[in-house]
Amino acid sequence: MSGVVPTAETVESLVRRQLGQALGGRRGMIEAAVPTLTFTVFWLTTRNLDLALVASVGVAVVELAARLVQRSTVKFCVNALVGIGLGWFFVHLAASRGGSADDQALAYFLPGLIYNTAYAAVFGLTCVIGWPVVGFMIGSVTGDPTAWHDDRQVVRLCTRLTLLLMLPCAARMAVQGPIWLAGHSGSLSADTAVATLGILKVAMGWPLQLAALGAMSWLLGRNHTPLETVSPAPDPG
């Protein structure tokens, strides 16, 4: 025999904790931003693409080493290294196709633009079809990945939270996409485009995430939706 045992936790407190773990807090977001800033500064000051790439990798490795020494999670440093690796791949892809040094430098930012576009599209689509991504965060804890969908109040809350998570990515693409295209087409100098993209990637990185989290905290603070988990009832015998 089984029964429903309510927990003291609410949907709102669960989502706050899950999002904090997913984003890595301020340190995790800074660790993601510093390698990009390093790449941009080295490229603009030396015009040496390989040096800029090596410097950005070096910074990410130092961050990773610090995490290992402190025995804390390395997930966010590894994410930064994966991002740099993708940037490096796109740089060499541009080079193999005969792209100039300017084209290669711009190619470094292309994976981020693709990621933000895909992220915004997928998150937006889940809201349109009525299965917002944030709902699955709740399902991962309750043990039933879809039970939350039976509660319209929870679905509505998760839809709003998912849209707030989507907005930073949509904003980055809306602002940075035209700059990348202008630099690639030659209507904007490559140096200006790279400098602007580097600055915007940092400025629209963790600050936008913090703004989104602030809006989400405000939304979560208005509601106290009970969260229930299913667990076996005590054996009477």
Side-chain angles (χ1 to χ4, degrees):
M1 183 177 180
S2 63
V4 178
V5 180
T7 70
E9 188 168 36
T10 63
V11 170
E12 289 75 22
S13 62
L14 167 65
V15 172
R16 278 196 295 268
R17 189 179 71 248
Q18 294 286 86
L19 290 175
Q21 292 174 352
L23 295 173
R26 293 182 182 180
R27 180 176 178 178
M29 289 183 276
I30 290 173
E31 285 173 342
V34 171
T36 295
L37 185 60
T38 301
F39 170 86
T40 303
V41 171
F42 270 81
W43 163 252
L44 293 176
T45 55
T46 68
R47 295 286 297 181
N48 186 321
L49 191 59
D50 287 336
L51 179 60
L53 287 167
V54 169
S56 63
V57 170
V59 169
V61 169
V62 169
E63 293 174 344
L64 177 62
R67 286 279 192 174
L68 289 172
V69 169
Q70 296 169 353
R71 296 185 178 181
S72 58
T73 178
V74 300
K75 177 174 65 175
F76 308 104
C77 298
V78 171
N79 288 346
L81 283 170
V82 170
I84 295 170
L86 286 172
W88 203 317
F89 172 77
F90 274 75
V91 166
H92 284 278
L93 185 62
S96 68
R97 294 179 176 177
S100 65
D102 290 338
D103 292 330
Q104 295 172 45
L106 285 168
Y108 178 81
F109 294 93
L110 188 54
L113 294 174
I114 294 174
Y115 169 82
N116 280 290
T117 301
Y119 188 104
V122 170
F123 272 47
L125 179 62
T126 65
C127 292
V128 170
I129 65 176
W131 288 86
V133 168
V134 171
F136 292 98
M137 293 183 181
I138 297 171
S140 68
V141 174
T142 62
D144 188 330
T146 60
W148 58 272
H149 196 261
D150 295 332
D151 189 326
R152 290 186 180 181
Q153 183 180 356
V154 173
V155 173
R156 186 163 51 249
L157 171 65
C158 290
T159 298
R160 293 171 180 171
L161 293 171
T162 301
L163 288 173
L164 285 172
L165 274 181
M166 180 197 75
L167 283 177
C169 290
R172 290 178 197 126
M173 189 57 203
V175 173
Q176 297 172 27
I179 294 172
W180 189 91
L181 290 172
H184 189 67
S185 66
S187 59
L188 184 68
S189 73
D191 279 356
T192 300
V194 168
T196 304
L197 287 170
I199 293 170
L200 286 175
K201 189 166 184 178
V202 174
M204 300 183 76
W206 63 267
L208 273 188
Q209 291 298 141
L210 290 177
L213 286 175
M216 293 171 78
S217 295
W218 174 82
L219 180 61
L220 291 169
R222 299 175 59 206
N223 302 297
H224 300 283
T225 310
L227 175 67
E228 294 185 338
T229 57
V230 178
S231 60
D235 188 344

